[in-house]
Amino acid sequence: SESLYEGMEALLQRFQDEPELGLALQGDIFNSCISGAIRGRFYLRSSGSGVGKTRQAVGDACFLAFPLRYEWTAQKWVKTGACEKVLLIITEQSFDEARAMALAYLTGINESLIKKNNLTEKEREVIQQALIIMKEYESNFYIERVPAPNISIVEQIVRRQVENNGVTYVFYDYIFVSPSLLGEFRGINLRNDEILLMFSDALKRLAVDLDIFVMSSTQVNAKADDSKDIRNEASIAGSRAVINKADMGCIMARPTKEELKTLESITNLTEAPNIVTDIYKNRGAESTQVRIWSYVDLGTMRKKDLFITDSSLNEVEIVYDKINYIMDDEGKDKLDRILKGVNKV
């Protein structure tokens, strides 16, 4: 055993040297609440079908992997995001679907326009510039496709990517009971919810053992339609226990007409939110039981937070922690060279 005081000075020095802040994901308010993507932690983001679980994962993965993207308002490529090694594990999408989403994020061009080849000359030029950027940062973004996932397969993939490619940020599409996962426990009398909990536990252990950040998602059940209170683990489909191992849990939904009408009367809506994110678990942080109202462009995978409230739609005051990405001199020189080339300065 140890006394409470023993090691306290060393702990304070560690907080001073390495503040408990991770790199930014998309959404300034969201980041302030969760302290960013902290290595060694496992985050779980849930929603119904079509709300954008995979698309937000791709957007966040791109935000961490690429230090720039095209902004149409400025008519140029700008420094935005980080420059880290990221792994995206997809289960239902194809490689090409993931590539198309990433291209839409980088260029700010709606994915449907890219797929239909319905593009202006300027858009074609921006896409060609995006290909140059993707090539320059090719080693920052890896994709693995696992249509029949189980725990051992996912563990092998993550460990191999960390060891061989130096990956430190992992996005696993979403947790569900597949035939392959059931087969992994054949002969053992386990319920589906217990199996899902074990999958969640495996992702958390990977985060801790490998000192990486892991984010995944789940589907929700009909309880998520009730927006009177902060949505919580009771809304998760299959197993509410899956959140037990997660360090952060949130549920995304579409705002109701009634909520939007109420919000108009209490705040100046310059932009209408199309996604609301309820944070119900936030280990080590005080920002929980809150709702973040955002606009997410599902065509470009880009997200902008608008404001934050409690469950009664009263605005909440938060301390905004700006998470700055620090790049070494070699990385800065490379980025400046690329920006100069694509912006033709």
Side-chain angles (χ1 to χ4, degrees), residues 177-218:
V177 176
S178 69
S180 178
L181 183 59
L182 290 173
E184 197 170 25
F185 296 96
R186 188 176 291 114
I188 305 174
N189 189 22
L190 289 178
R191 303 187 308 271
N192 281 4
D193 62 310
E194 293 173 319
I195 293 174
L196 289 172
L197 174 59
M198 293 182 73
F199 205 130
S200 175
D201 179 58
L203 293 177
K204 171 61 179 178
R205 280 189 286 105
L206 284 170
V208 173
D209 293 348
L210 302 176
D211 189 30
I212 61 175
F213 170 77
V214 179
M215 191 168 198
S216 188
S217 62
T218 63

Side-chain angles (χ1 to χ4, degrees), residues 249-293:
C250 65
I251 293 178
M252 302 184 301
R254 295 186 181 90
T256 65
K257 291 181 179 178
E258 292 76 15
E259 286 172 335
L260 291 175
K261 188 174 182 181
T262 302
L263 289 170
E264 284 178 357
S265 65
I266 63 175
T267 186
N268 295 320
L269 281 182
T270 56
E271 195 170 358
N274 62 354
I275 293 289
V276 55
T277 303
D278 290 10
I279 298 180
Y280 62 90
K281 181 177 182 179
N282 200 5
R283 185 172 290 155
E286 62 183 37
S287 297
T288 186
Q289 304 301 304
V290 292
R291 290 188 159 156
I292 301 170
W293 304 81

